[in-house]
Amino acid sequence: MRAAWIALLLLLGLDAAEAQRRTGPPTFDPADTEGLVVSPNPSVRHAWKRKVFWTISMQPGRGTFRVIPAQTTAERGQMTATLDALAVLFKATPTGSSGEGFWVKDSRTLDYFDPFVLPEKTPLARVPLTFASGYFPFRHEDVETNGIWKKSVNGETTPAYFHFNRLPEDTQSTHVATEPRPGDRPPEVFYLRPRVTATWHGLPVYKNDYLLVTRGGRDPWAPVPMVRVLKASMGALEKDRKTAEDRLEDYRKALAAVMAPEWEAQKRATFETQNGELRTSRPSNYAARLRSLEHEIAVLRKEAETRAHPRRDATGAWYWAAVDAHEDAARRLAALTPDEAASSACFVEVTAAQRANGRFAMPGTVIAEASAPGCRQIVRTNWEYFDLTLPRTTPQLLYVRDFGACVRVVGERFESPPIDRWDSPPQGCVQHARMWREVDWSRIAALVQP
């Protein structure tokens, strides 16, 4: 028995070492239709040649919050039909139809908007329904239990989500300010307009991260007027100023402490305790150490004086940057003309050095977009994007989340990480990238109402 276990362990060790050495997929006898390879764990095997198959898994949604009319059977059928049409496009690709070594779980959610993020008087019965498919390409990995192999039912992989009627909101964007809203609604966030970093078949990719298909002439983000941004930013500017004022108060207390006779007396008493015997035994050494103490007292007092009375230079920027930014914004807000108040705002971010010097809550300056062409426009989520006269299930926007997790668009092609291991069939991003290269993106875009 012991010899059999040793032989098995040696065999598994050799299989593992061989798998690590592979520079490509293993080869199989033509009669081996599934390409079965047992992994170093004898209860797990991989099927390298088994064809791709697709399954559908339904996930629960957020619910109606009792204020949105529930989805009807017909509406659920219409959303399902759109997700079916999307899946058909991927299943029609060479990889999605005849790929080997993996399978795809289509994880679907038929859902609702969160009503508390919508403007207060939004007609909730007309707001589009949201629905999504998350594609999970799993390697064919079978598990053996009590002598029976269970085929390809789960695993861990990198998904890709296709969301219909979900606005991208402030995904990974710098927050500028927040504006309170009535009732239980969270504050409205003002943030920088996301940058288009690439286009793929005419579709914009933002921040090398997500892809959007929008309706013609409609913008998922809305510019914010100067007056709203300046008003909303005052809280952050006041917070930065309060931080600076508190820091100055601490420095002034520290100055008072080091200027007090008691502080100096304590320093000299400690010195005498540590060095007093040198006064007679080594007078020159004692005198040198005393001069060092005198210098230390002078330097500490000078440093405390400088901190407690910040100058308008680099050494005092920690205080004056916050104070000046607050006073400048208040002055500009009070002086806005009606046209200036209604003009679009943009943002000039402070440098890393300025942030280190006290610009923490408000990391930049709000200016009129017209005064600095090319600066970062300040936007809010455009909740008015949707046409509320259309049926709730009409696909009005497609948001491909984490698009950049698997590929990077360079010119007219995809770049994706190379396969760097062959101990099991490729899954996740490898299969996403293959299908995305092969699929007809114009037909995906056509799923959105033009």
Side-chain angles (χ1 to χ4, degrees):
M1 183 68 177
R2 184 171 179 273
W5 270 109
I6 292 174
L8 176 60
L9 291 173
L10 287 172
L11 177 62
L12 292 176
L14 290 172
D15 287 345
E18 180 188 354
Q20 290 298 326
R21 288 194 300 268
R22 287 192 199 120
T23 58
T27 56
F28 301 95
D29 185 279
D32 185 355
T33 59
E34 292 213 311
L36 298 177
V37 176
V38 177
S39 78
N41 180 346
S43 64
V44 175
R45 71 182 183 188
H46 300 125
W48 285 80
K49 294 174 64 178
R50 184 183 300 159
K51 295 297 184 181
V52 63
F53 63 80
W54 293 66
T55 66
I56 294 175
S57 173
M58 296 302 301
Q59 306 302 317
R62 71 172 80 241
T64 68
F65 298 90
R66 299 183 181 179
V67 294
I68 301 176
Q71 299 165 358
T72 66
T73 300
E75 287 177 327
R76 293 180 70 83
Q78 290 157 5
M79 290 185 284
T80 297
T82 298
L83 298 179
D84 285 344
L86 177 66
V88 163
L89 296 176
F90 285 107
K91 290 178 182 180
T93 64
T95 298
S97 62
S98 56
E100 295 181 340
F102 76 103
W103 62 285
V104 182
K105 179 169 76 173
D106 179 351
S107 180
R108 298 182 176 184
T109 307
L110 309 182
D111 214 342
Y112 303 83
F113 254 107
D114 178 352
F116 296 104
V117 304
L118 299 172
E120 189 173 16
K121 296 184 180 180
T122 301
L124 298 179
R126 303 299 308 163
V127 173
L129 297 169
T130 65
F131 46 104
S133 277
Y135 295 141
F136 292 72
F138 293 108
R139 65 173 60 93
H140 281 309
E141 187 169 270
D142 303 341
V143 178
E144 185 268 338
T145 304
N146 296 326
I148 299 174
W149 288 96
K150 190 173 185 180
K151 292 187 176 181
S152 302
V153 294
N154 217 329
E156 294 184 4
T157 191
T158 303
Y161 280 88
F162 290 73
H163 296 271
F164 288 94
N165 294 342
R166 174 181 168 183
L167 290 165
E169 302 186 47
D170 56 339
T171 304
Q172 294 185 351
S173 290
T174 299
H175 289 193
V176 174
T178 57
E179 181 181 76
R181 296 197 294 178
D184 295 329
R185 288 171 167 75
E188 176 137 38
V189 180
F190 300 154
Y191 49 95
L192 301 187
R193 177 179 287 277
R195 285 188 169 124
V196 176
T197 52
T199 57
W200 179 247
H201 290 262
L203 304 175
V205 178
Y206 293 86
K207 306 188 73 170
N208 295 315
D209 181 57
Y210 57 94
L211 178 145
L212 288 184
V213 180
T214 58
R215 299 188 66 201
R218 291 185 177 255
D219 188 345
W221 300 285
V224 187
M226 278 287 294
V227 65
R228 287 183 66 180
V229 181
L230 282 175
K231 284 182 178 178
S233 67
M234 292 306 294
L237 291 166
E238 289 165 2
K239 182 177 180 180
D240 280 341
R241 181 167 186 166
K242 177 68 165 53
T243 299
E245 298 284 7
D246 289 346
R247 184 175 172 183
L248 179 61
E249 180 62 23
D250 289 341
Y251 285 155
R252 287 177 173 170
K253 289 178 181 177
L255 174 62
V258 300
M259 295 303 292
E262 296 83 4
W263 177 82
E264 183 175 341
Q266 180 60 50
K267 294 284 287 184
R268 293 185 180 279
T270 300
F271 174 82
E272 288 297 331
T273 299
Q274 297 173 346
N275 302 284
E277 65 178 19
L278 298 175
R279 186 191 296 269
T280 55
S281 64
R282 300 175 65 187
S284 62
N285 189 273
Y286 175 86
R289 295 191 181 192
L290 182 59
R291 286 194 299 272
S292 178
L293 172 66
E294 301 285 359
H295 177 72
E296 179 187 359
I297 291 172
V299 168
L300 291 175
R301 283 175 167 170
K302 179 63 176 176
E303 290 175 347
E305 176 75 21
T306 299
R307 286 193 293 263
H309 298 91
R311 295 189 294 269
R312 287 187 172 276
D313 59 16
T315 64
W318 62 267
Y319 177 76
W320 290 109
V323 171
D324 290 345
H326 176 251
E327 292 182 349
D328 176 65
R331 182 171 57 253
R332 290 190 296 126
L333 179 59
L336 285 176
T337 66
D339 287 345
E340 290 170 339
S343 65
S344 298
C346 71
F347 196 64
V348 179
E349 293 188 74
V350 300
T351 64
Q354 289 172 312
R355 283 196 179 200
N357 269 326
R359 295 294 299 278
F360 306 118
M362 187 62 181
T365 303
V366 178
I367 62 175
E369 184 178 11
S371 67
C375 73
R376 298 292 300 277
Q377 188 182 62
I378 300 171
V379 298
R380 61 177 177 83
T381 299
N382 184 13
W383 302 113
E384 294 79 32
Y385 169 90
F386 297 102
D387 181 351
L388 301 187
T389 66
L390 295 173
R392 293 197 301 172
T393 57
T394 302
Q396 298 193 49
L397 182 144
L398 174 60
Y399 167 37
V400 185
R401 198 183 82 197
D402 296 329
F403 182 81
C406 290
V407 300
R408 186 179 182 88
V409 179
V410 179
E412 295 300 318
R413 61 185 178 83
F414 274 155
E415 284 187 355
S416 55
I419 303 174
D420 59 1
R421 53 181 294 181
W422 292 96
D423 56 331
S424 59
Q427 59 169 1
C429 282
V430 171
Q431 306 302 348
H432 287 309
R434 287 173 175 171
M435 287 188 284
W436 292 356
R437 287 186 177 98
E438 298 163 355
V439 74
D440 185 343
W441 284 88
S442 67
R443 295 182 66 185
I444 293 178
L447 296 175
V448 173
Q449 174 76 29

